Structure formats: C-alpha cells, structure tokens
Amino acid sequence: MEKIKVLIADDHRVVREGLAAILKTKEDIHVLGEAQDGMEAVEKARALLPDVILMDVSMPRMGGVEATRQIKREFPHIGVVALTMYEEQQYIFDLVRAGATGYLLKDSESSQIVAAIRAIYRGESLIHPSVASKILAEFSLMAQKKGKKSAWAEHDLTEREITVLRLVADGKTNKEIANSLDLSEKTVKNHVRNIFHKLQVYDRTQAAILAIRKGLIELDPKR
C-alpha cells in the first residue's frame, strides 16, 4: 500500500511530537520529518518531497503563509494544511492566496486532521466549518458587486463546467458529481482539469473561492 508522505511544521516541539504520534498510528500515513519554522519547512519540502504538509501559521524566521507561498510556487502538487489557533479573516485569506489546500484550527479533533490529509492527497480539500463560512461569506459579498456574464466570458467556461464548478464549491467529490450529473468519473475529472486550467488554479479550494470571488457562482442564501 502506497503511504501518504507527511511533513509536520510547527515551532512547538510538543505539538510536532503529538501530531507525529497520532499520524504514526495510521497505516496509510508516513511521517517523513518535522520542521520547527517556515524556513526549515521550505528546505525539507525540497529535500523530502512530501505529499502533504501540516503547516503552523505563526512560526519564527518565516511564517506559514510565506513558507506555503514558496513551497506551492516550486511544488504545486504538494498539499498544505494550515493549522492555527486563529480564525481572523486576514490569516485565512492570506493562506488561501498562498495556496493552502486545507485550513484547520488546532483544537480540531485528530480525526479531522487525518481526514484532511487523506482528502488533500486525493486532490480534494478540507476546511474547518467556522473558517469556511468566513471565507465564503466574504467572497460572496464581493461577488455580488460583479457581473457573472462578463466573468464567464473572461474565463471561457462552458455551461457544463459552471455546473461542475458549483458542485466543487459545494464540497462534492468527483464521484458525487458524476452521480449527480449522470456522467462518468473520468469525464468529471476532465471537466475539473479544464476548470483548473481556465481559472489558472491548481486545487479545488482555490477554484471554488476564485469562482465565488469573481461572481462565476454564488452561495445558496439559505446555507
């Protein structure tokens, strides 16, 4: 069985060791190493090439935002899960722009952290509900000020791709989208790949947020 290679970056030794102890009990996860600051996280990402990085936001020498930005610039395939005590919107937006694929609070259950690692390894995303609501609410307000028609034309998305994108933003997996639209999973994967190319993003979280921010899709007001 191929294991998910994980790097843990946090300036608190007890946190790193605690996370490592939890992850080492999972048969499908292998902890490659640990980093005590952002600069070391970048260095070890280059040397070890992990699949997923658990990234603390506030660290010495280089913070998690800048470390994430550098890592994603060099290795866009590496998934980054931001771990923080903060729910402030600026941290959230900066991390999303930097390329973080997941965003969890440090008081999350260990099962949530494991689920996030597995989801991101599959090419999905996982964001803590309280954090996701802040992101989507803010970008939805921004989207109301922009016209959807011009946004569609700008990115040349087809009607089918818009439909798939709405379902991606709703957190649906490729399999769930395929079932919903009566398509093959392979066809959905092709649509998602085309959406990423047209929006110039490299993961589902950024695609959904960019779509909402630009007015390509809007949230259900009842949610």
Side-chain angles (χ1 to χ4, degrees), residues 93-216:
F93 297 154
D94 287 347
L95 279 159
V96 168
R97 294 187 185 103
T101 333
Y103 195 111
L104 295 175
L105 301 181
K106 283 189 174 180
D107 62 358
S108 298
E109 298 288 337
S110 60
S111 60
Q112 288 181 297
I113 296 173
V114 172
I117 291 171
R118 289 169 175 162
I120 288 169
Y121 180 69
R122 293 192 301 266
E124 301 166 15
S125 61
L126 197 151
I127 301 179
H128 192 282
S130 66
V131 173
S133 63
K134 294 177 183 293
I135 296 175
L136 297 180
E138 177 68 17
F139 283 148
S140 184
L141 287 173
M142 295 169 63
Q144 292 175 11
K145 302 176 182 179
K146 300 185 178 183
K148 297 181 184 59
K149 187 174 181 180
S150 60
W152 288 355
E154 176 188 352
H155 294 285
D156 194 31
L157 292 171
T158 66
E159 289 296 328
R160 175 62 82 186
E161 287 167 351
I162 291 292
T163 300
V164 171
L165 182 54
R166 288 194 179 104
L167 293 171
V168 167
D170 198 37
K172 303 297 185 185
T173 65
N174 286 349
K175 184 175 182 180
E176 290 171 334
I177 294 172
N179 291 337
S180 175
L181 300 179
D182 195 25
L183 299 172
S184 70
E185 195 168 347
K186 182 179 179 180
T187 297
V188 172
K189 286 181 180 179
N190 289 336
H191 282 312
V192 172
R193 184 176 64 247
N194 290 338
I195 290 167
F196 285 1
H197 175 72
K198 290 180 180 181
L199 296 183
Q200 296 185 335
V201 298
Y202 40 77
D203 62 57
R204 300 167 83 90
T205 302
Q206 287 199 327
I209 291 172
L210 179 64
I212 294 168
R213 179 161 55 86
K214 285 185 170 292
L216 296 169

Side-chain angles (χ1 to χ4, degrees), residues 24-38:
K24 286 176 181 178
T25 66
K26 309 303 176 184
E27 294 184 355
D28 60 334
I29 295 176
H30 172 57
V31 178
L32 285 177
E34 302 173 11
Q36 61 184 351
D37 57 53

Side-chain angles (χ1 to χ4, degrees), residues 37-56:
D37 57 53
M39 192 172 293
E40 187 177 5
V42 174
E43 293 169 355
K44 289 200 171 181
R46 290 170 178 155
L48 302 175
L49 297 177
D51 297 310
V52 178
I53 301 175
L54 295 180
M55 182 79 73
D56 185 22

